[in-house]
Amino acid sequence: MASPEGASPHPGNRAIRPPAGLIFTPELGPSPVGDLCTNMGHLSCVESITPRRRLRLSPDALTPSPSGSQLLAPTGTPTPTGGALEPSLSPQACSSSSSEGSCSQMPSRCSLPRSAPAPGTDGEILTGDFSRPCSLPLEDGQHRDLRYVSPATVASLLCGQLAGVVEEYVVVDCRYPYEYAGGHIKGALNLYREEQLARWFLPDPLGTTPCPRSSVLIFHCEFSSERGPRLCRSLRRMDRDANRYPELWYPELYVLRGGYKEFYQHFQDLCEPQGYVHMRHKDFRAELRNYQRRRQPWSLRRIRKELFKPLCPGSPFP
């Protein structure tokens, strides 16, 4: 028996059925699945420029892919910004130089130009009013928001070695009076309360101040860890409140790194008297409790007094 047209003979006189996608029915016509399979064969894959390929083809890349380099504009073609690609910035130059191993030695040819740094961002730390760089060399300290100087810098100020850099300076000793009397830096002022700072540095109603506004103030306590930094922040806050931002009367405030303890260890001859009394000295425990009690604000004392106040006789509470 002759096999149907388009079918190959089979030993069992049965024709091999075509795939399911090529079955034709007289009523419904070609199957939709068959059309889809047929049309898929006519599709052609076109490689597109993906974001990752764009990143790989940027001028910063040292070895762009060969297939992507053909998609870039040739040398001298105007760019969207109005300019033209320079020969020195072309990817072909980078690829050729990278193959020779010399692209790393010519960063100007393979990198984009950088904008000029803004004023004050070139590594210099400015004063509190942002008018000029700090006069004294800075050191790393415990508090990131404060500026520290080393004991050697303070010793140079005392010896007059920085007379051409700093016009006037004041060393503020924030320790308690019994510590100050036991030994302090020569010429230091003993100011350990905010009221004393305001009375000494801030202007009175007549507009006069004991110290010139260009003074450099250096705060310290025993270790420059709590009392000295706290009063340094207090003076800066009061100075900000009394002036229009960013103007300041005292733009340069510093903290002595290591406090009096470290300064006394290295420059004992610059202390008067040449002694060192600890804050928690056993002979001054009563004075320490008295000074610490005075540090509590009056509002807190009043609240405590009201809490422990005895009840009135006619009160409904027991």
Side-chain angles (χ1 to χ4, degrees), residues 173-196:
D173 193 334
C174 303
R175 298 178 299 163
Y176 298 133
Y178 66 88
E179 300 175 86
Y180 179 84
H184 58 272
I185 300 175
K186 291 183 178 181
L189 296 176
N190 186 212
L191 306 175
Y192 58 96
R193 299 178 61 181
E194 293 186 3
E195 295 82 1
Q196 297 174 340

Side-chain angles (χ1 to χ4, degrees), residues 24 56 92 105 181 197 213 255 272 292-293 308:
F24 295 92
R56 192 184 303 118
Q92 289 79 3
Q105 301 176 2
L197 288 177
R213 296 184 179 181
V255 177
E272 55 179 9
Q292 290 180 344
R293 185 180 61 86
F308 293 98

Side-chain angles (χ1 to χ4, degrees), residues 176 192-193 195 226-227 230-231 279 288-298 300-301:
Y176 298 133
Y192 58 96
R193 299 178 61 181
E195 295 82 1
E226 197 269 332
R227 291 176 289 177
R230 176 173 53 85
L231 291 181
M279 182 186 70
L288 176 61
R289 288 193 297 267
N290 187 24
Y291 289 124
Q292 290 180 344
R293 185 180 61 86
R294 291 181 181 180
R295 284 182 51 189
Q296 299 178 359
W298 287 101
L300 181 59
R301 300 182 193 178

Side-chain angles (χ1 to χ4, degrees), residues 71-306:
L71 300 176
L72 292 179
T75 303
T77 303
T79 59
T81 57
L85 292 177
E86 297 294 336
S88 59
L89 295 178
S90 61
Q92 289 79 3
C94 291
S95 60
S96 61
S97 59
S98 61
S99 61
E100 298 175 1
S102 59
C103 185
S104 59
Q105 301 176 2
M106 295 182 294
S108 60
R109 299 183 58 184
C110 300
S111 60
L112 295 177
R114 297 182 180 180
S115 58
T121 61
D122 54 351
E124 294 183 349
I125 300 180
L126 304 180
T127 56
D129 57 355
F130 313 109
S131 61
R132 61 184 185 276
C134 295
S135 303
L136 302 179
L138 302 180
E139 302 286 337
D140 295 334
Q142 180 179 358
H143 303 274
R144 303 294 296 273
D145 60 321
L146 301 177
R147 294 160 186 174
Y148 286 78
V149 293
S150 63
T153 301
V154 178
S156 301
L157 287 173
L158 296 176
C159 298
Q161 299 177 2
L162 300 177
V165 179
V166 178
E167 298 179 1
E168 297 288 340
Y169 70 93
V170 178
V171 179
V172 182
D173 193 334
C174 303
R175 298 178 299 163
Y176 298 133
Y178 66 88
E179 300 175 86
Y180 179 84
H184 58 272
I185 300 175
K186 291 183 178 181
L189 296 176
N190 186 212
L191 306 175
Y192 58 96
R193 299 178 61 181
E194 293 186 3
E195 295 82 1
Q196 297 174 340
L197 288 177
R199 184 170 59 252
W200 187 268
F201 293 107
L202 299 184
D204 54 14
L206 299 179
T208 59
T209 55
C211 297
R213 296 184 179 181
S214 60
S215 296
V216 171
L217 306 184
I218 303 174
F219 292 78
H220 79 88
C221 54
E222 184 175 2
F223 307 104
S224 290
S225 59
E226 197 269 332
R227 291 176 289 177
R230 176 173 53 85
L231 291 181
C232 182
R233 294 191 185 100
S234 299
L235 181 59
R236 174 55 56 85
R237 175 179 49 81
M238 293 185 291
D239 200 351
R240 289 287 188 197
D241 296 340
N243 290 277
R244 179 183 300 177
Y245 186 86
E247 298 177 358
L248 291 171
W249 284 317
Y250 305 99
E252 294 195 57
L253 302 182
Y254 302 95
V255 177
L256 175 60
R257 187 197 64 193
Y260 182 77
K261 179 181 183 297
E262 185 173 346
F263 186 87
Y264 181 78
Q265 291 177 354
H266 298 88
F267 305 99
Q268 185 175 350
D269 55 336
L270 296 179
C271 303
E272 55 179 9
Q274 296 183 5
Y276 176 25
V277 176
H278 299 272
M279 182 186 70
R280 301 186 180 277
H281 197 279
K282 60 181 181 180
D283 297 338
F284 301 97
R285 293 177 180 175
E287 289 84 349
L288 176 61
R289 288 193 297 267
N290 187 24
Y291 289 124
Q292 290 180 344
R293 185 180 61 86
R294 291 181 181 180
R295 284 182 51 189
Q296 299 178 359
W298 287 101
S299 59
L300 181 59
R301 300 182 193 178
R302 184 168 56 253
I303 292 175
R304 289 181 177 179
K305 186 176 180 180
E306 293 294 335

